[in-house]
């Protein structure tokens, strides 16, 4: 706790920027109808802003990642914050849907520059118990953004108009950027400048690096195929409205936040690899609970809370492992890890969209349980190389 207080402003700045970027990914969903009305456009047209943001992040992250291994991470992180800030300002001001989409593209590039360097900076600056603690707290910001992003966007839009949501986002970005500019040590130098393509070459040559990225991909395939279609299943199964279903996901996000926040303590007690393996097994058990209790909303919520807790612990531990696998390629590794996350989301949503009408929630959940158990098996293999 003393270490946390000593680095309090740094942790606050990192927490804020991760929260804002995470919330920015979710905040737009409830705004689509009012955006369409404001711009006199169709929902399909304004929904392109979601796709544009995701594509710019998914492509920008692996392209920009190696820069963090060539230049000081402080510089790259702050440049990313500035780009994200500009994108937010463009969205808040945008007079047309075209300008709004440009703003979303810029914000996506800013997020792709910022987040991998947040994780890489933490991995470079902290070690041991302190690394576990600060990684857990910072990753908890993403969990909190899942819980608060959608309701925050809805409430801000209802208070004044949809532009207020982006004004608040811009304000928080400016605050986080100012804190980080003041408190990140200027001597966060690159350990050794690495040629742009050399970073990926080293990852390609490292069996443990490739295996770790495969674990992330497999894990995310299993998680997102259930998470993506859970809302549809709950709404139809229990005849809920959108607001009621949203409250279920708020419960998930808050539970995930608590687990991630205290994940550092659990990792220190159990060990990072053991935490990943145990969390993967318990995630599969929680999904089995979703299937067994699908006639009871309370049973579904209970299983979902368990899933949120073990996912928060497991993903935090996995990120903490990956950030230190290749110290010289730390930023590139975290950028590649982000790319695996988005690839998992893309594949699970597309394949799940085809499979859900054919095999139902039961079938895709069984497949998800299998993917998570495969990730556990791969983690056991990774232990041999660490």
């Amino acid at each position: 706790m003393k270490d946390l207080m000593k680095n309090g402003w740094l942790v606050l700045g990192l927490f804020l920027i991760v929260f804002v970027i995470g919330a920015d990914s979710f905040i737009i969903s409830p705004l689509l109808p009012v955006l369409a009305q404001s711009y006199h456009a169709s929902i399909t047209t304004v929904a392109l802003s979601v796709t544009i943001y995701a594509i710019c992040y998914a492509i920008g992250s692996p392209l920009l990642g190696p820069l963090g291994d060539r230049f000081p991470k402080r510089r790259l992180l702050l440049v990313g914050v500035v780009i994200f800030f500009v994108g937010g300002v463009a969205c808040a001001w945008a007079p047309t849907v075209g300008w709004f989409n440009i703003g979303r593209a810029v914000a996506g590039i800013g997020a792709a520059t910022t987040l991998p360097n947040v994780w890489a900076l933490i991995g470079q600056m902290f070690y041991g118990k302190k690394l576990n603690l600060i990684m857990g707290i910072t990753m908890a910001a993403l969990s909190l953004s899942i819980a608060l992003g959608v309701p925050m966007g809805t409430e801000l839009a209802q208070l004044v108009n949809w532009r207020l949501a982006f004004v608040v986002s811009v304000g928080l970005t400016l605050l986080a950027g100012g804190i980080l500019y003041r408190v990140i040590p200027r001597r966060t130098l690159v350990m050794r400048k690495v040629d742009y393509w050399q970073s990926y070459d080293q990852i390609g040559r490292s069996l443990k690096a490739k295996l770790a990225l495969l674990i992330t991909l497999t894990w995310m395939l299993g998680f997102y195929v259930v998470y993506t279609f859970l809302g549809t299943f709950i709404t139809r199964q229990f005849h809920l409205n959108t607001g009621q279903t949203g409250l279920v996901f708020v419960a998930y996000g808050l539970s995930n936040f608590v687990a991630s926040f205290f994940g550092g303590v659990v990792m220190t007690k159990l060990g990072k690899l053991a935490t990943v393996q145990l969390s993967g097994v318990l995630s599969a058990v929680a999904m089995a609970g979703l299937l067994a209790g699908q006639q009871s909303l309370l049973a579904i919520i209970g299983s979902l809370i368990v899933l949120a807790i073990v996912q928060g612990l497991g993903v935090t531990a996995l990120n903490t492992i990956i950030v230190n696998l290749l110290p010289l390629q730390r930023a590139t590794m975290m950028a590649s890890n982000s790319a695996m996350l988005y690839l998992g989301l893309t594949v699970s949503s597309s394949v799940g969209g085809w499979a859900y009408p054919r095999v139902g929630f039961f079938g895709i959940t069984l497949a998800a349980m299998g993917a998570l158990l495969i990730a556990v098996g791969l983690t056991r293999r990774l232990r041999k190389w660490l």
Side-chain angles (χ1 to χ4, degrees), residues 3 12 22 80 121 154 210 235 243 266 277 370 374:
D3 288 335
L12 176 61
L121 182 73
T154 303
K210 289 186 289 187
T235 301
V266 176
Q277 289 178 260
I374 290 172

Side-chain angles (χ1 to χ4, degrees), residues 5-39:
M5 294 300 294
K6 182 179 178 181
N7 297 285
W9 283 106
L10 175 60
V11 174
L12 176 61
L14 294 174
F15 186 94
L16 270 178
I17 195 60
V18 172
F19 171 77
V20 173
I21 290 176
D24 195 72
S25 302
F26 297 101
I27 204 171
I28 197 168
S29 298
L31 301 181
L32 291 179
V34 292
L35 281 168
Q37 183 178 9
S38 176
Y39 288 126

Side-chain angles (χ1 to χ4, degrees), residues 19-348:
F19 171 77
V20 173
I21 290 176
D24 195 72
S25 302
F26 297 101
I27 204 171
I28 197 168
S29 298
L31 301 181
L32 291 179
V34 292
L35 281 168
Q37 183 178 9
S38 176
Y39 288 126
H40 306 290
S42 66
I43 291 288
T44 303
T45 300
V46 294
L48 282 174
S49 60
V50 178
T51 305
I52 288 169
Y53 179 91
I55 288 175
C56 287
Y57 187 102
I59 294 176
S61 186
L63 285 178
L64 298 170
L67 297 179
D69 296 320
R70 186 168 178 80
F71 302 102
K73 292 173 180 59
R74 177 184 188 274
R75 185 188 308 170
L76 266 294
L77 195 158
L78 293 175
V79 166
V81 171
V82 170
I83 295 172
F84 184 77
F85 173 82
V86 171
V89 171
C91 288
W93 163 82
T96 67
V97 69
W99 279 108
F100 184 82
N101 287 339
I102 291 173
R104 294 302 291 164
V106 173
I109 294 170
T113 309
T114 304
L115 282 184
N117 282 290
V118 166
W119 313 131
L121 182 73
I122 293 172
Q124 180 176 310
M125 291 184 64
F126 304 105
Y127 304 92
K129 294 180 180 179
K130 193 184 293 187
L131 171 63
N132 295 346
L133 178 66
I134 293 178
M135 182 67 81
I137 291 173
T138 308
M139 286 206 67
L142 284 178
S143 306
L144 191 63
S145 71
I146 294 174
L148 300 184
V150 172
M152 186 169 69
T154 303
E155 291 302 318
L156 289 173
Q158 289 177 346
L159 283 173
V160 183
N161 62 45
W162 63 266
R163 295 182 190 274
L164 180 60
F166 289 96
V167 171
V168 171
S169 176
V170 164
L172 289 175
T173 302
L174 189 61
L175 175 61
I179 293 172
L180 293 173
Y181 178 80
R182 293 293 301 273
V183 301
I184 297 177
R186 293 182 180 275
R187 290 186 175 274
T188 55
L189 302 177
V190 181
M191 296 172 64
R192 177 170 61 84
K193 286 191 175 183
V194 180
D195 179 78
Y196 183 92
W197 295 112
Q198 186 181 351
S199 291
Y200 281 114
D201 182 61
Q202 290 299 315
I203 292 175
R205 292 172 181 271
S206 171
L207 290 176
K208 64 181 181 181
K210 289 186 289 187
L211 182 57
L213 294 175
L214 181 59
I215 292 170
T216 293
L217 176 60
T218 309
W219 188 292
M220 293 306 162
L221 284 171
F223 169 70
Y224 276 118
V225 75
V226 168
Y227 190 80
T228 301
F229 297 97
L230 183 61
T232 301
F233 169 74
I234 292 174
T235 301
R236 292 177 179 176
Q237 182 78 356
F238 301 103
H239 308 290
L240 304 180
N241 60 38
T242 303
Q244 291 168 329
T245 302
L247 288 176
V248 174
F249 284 94
V250 170
Y252 174 92
L254 291 176
S255 302
N256 193 258
F257 164 73
V258 172
S260 298
F261 194 89
F262 293 103
V265 177
V266 176
M267 281 188 279
T268 300
K269 294 285 186 182
L270 298 180
K272 292 183 279 291
L273 280 167
T275 301
V276 173
Q277 289 178 260
L278 181 61
S279 297
V281 172
L282 291 180
S283 292
V285 172
M287 288 182 180
L290 292 175
L291 296 181
Q294 55 184 300
Q295 300 303 319
S296 167
L297 182 58
L298 286 178
I300 290 288
I301 293 173
S303 297
L304 192 59
I305 288 173
V306 173
L307 181 63
I309 291 170
V310 293
Q311 282 287 314
L313 295 174
V315 174
T316 300
L318 183 58
N319 264 30
T320 308
I321 292 169
I322 292 173
V323 78
N324 276 326
L325 282 181
L326 298 176
L328 288 179
Q329 289 79 35
R330 189 175 275 124
T332 308
M333 274 295 295
M334 298 315 293
S336 300
N337 197 52
S338 293
M340 291 299 102
L341 187 152
Y342 270 85
L343 180 59
L345 172 59
T346 302
V347 173
S348 61

